[in-house]
Amino acid sequence: NNPGESIPAYNNPSFSVSLWVRGLPQTDRRVFSEGSTANTQPLFNIGTHNGGVEPAVDSFIRTDTGATGNHKYSVAPAFDDTWHHIVYTQRDVGGTPLAALYVDGVKDDVVLDPRRPLTLNTTSIGGILRGTPSAWFTGEIDDVAIWTRALSPAEAQLLSTGKTPVPP
């Protein structure tokens, strides 16, 4: 990242990440990740189930001090060897981050646990880039996009149909 850029996305008070994925269940692999090459603690991940036994989306966030919200798993499958659309949205409400996950345009019932502070300097697709690259996803990833605002439910649904929403 460079000064003035919008990535890493998690550095913004509000943001959204969307992408298409196709792959089988895998143990703890990342389709989107933000970390730090200076400190191995802060981490924001969207990926496969950390146990590899379910086709769920795994959201994992760890702060600068190592505090985690634990792994949070989608109810809807996204890693069953067919194409699925994933959207993660987060917005700041009075200093509290609130997040939602959408799979194929439908808000998932998972209760996410976004946390701060995260001092991030690296954004990666298909793995983690920190001191050592790792957690490589085996499959396909397409049409990755980042917004510096939380997309609405209607916009998340529109993206799953292949159309880019018009900015407000």
Side-chain angles (χ1 to χ4, degrees), residues 52-78:
V53 296
E54 296 180 30
V57 177
D58 181 350
S59 170
F60 179 77
I61 301 166
R62 185 172 54 225
T63 67
D64 290 346
T65 61
T68 68
N70 294 317
H71 293 268
K72 302 294 182 176
Y73 308 109
S74 67
V75 175

Side-chain angles (χ1 to χ4, degrees), residues 5-156:
E5 288 183 340
S6 298
I7 57 174
Y10 210 96
N11 290 345
N12 298 293
S14 297
F15 69 94
S16 299
V17 174
S18 74
L19 62 158
W20 287 91
V21 297
R22 185 175 79 140
L24 292 168
Q26 299 165 48
T27 303
D28 212 20
R29 303 299 181 200
R30 307 303 193 272
V31 293
F32 184 88
S33 181
E34 294 187 326
S36 172
T37 56
N39 177 354
T40 60
Q41 290 298 325
L43 198 57
F44 166 58
N45 286 318
I46 301 169
T48 65
H49 191 284
N50 73 321
V53 296
E54 296 180 30
V57 177
D58 181 350
S59 170
F60 179 77
I61 301 166
R62 185 172 54 225
T63 67
D64 290 346
T65 61
T68 68
N70 294 317
H71 293 268
K72 302 294 182 176
Y73 308 109
S74 67
V75 175
F79 298 100
D80 59 4
D81 208 25
T82 60
W83 283 103
H84 291 280
H85 190 255
I86 299 169
V87 176
Y88 178 100
T89 66
Q90 186 170 307
R91 60 188 166 93
D92 183 79
V93 178
T96 301
L98 302 175
L101 183 71
Y102 298 82
V103 178
D104 297 329
V106 178
K107 186 176 183 291
D108 198 84
D109 289 336
V110 63
V111 177
L112 300 173
D113 190 14
R115 296 170 168 260
R116 295 203 186 270
L118 279 71
T119 305
L120 306 167
N121 67 9
T122 305
T123 299
S124 55
I125 299 167
I128 297 174
L129 179 58
R130 293 186 291 180
T132 303
S134 63
W136 301 112
F137 174 71
T138 301
E140 297 175 90
I141 302 170
D142 196 15
D143 202 19
V144 180
I146 298 171
W147 286 264
T148 56
R149 64 183 178 86
L151 295 176
S152 71
E155 290 172 317

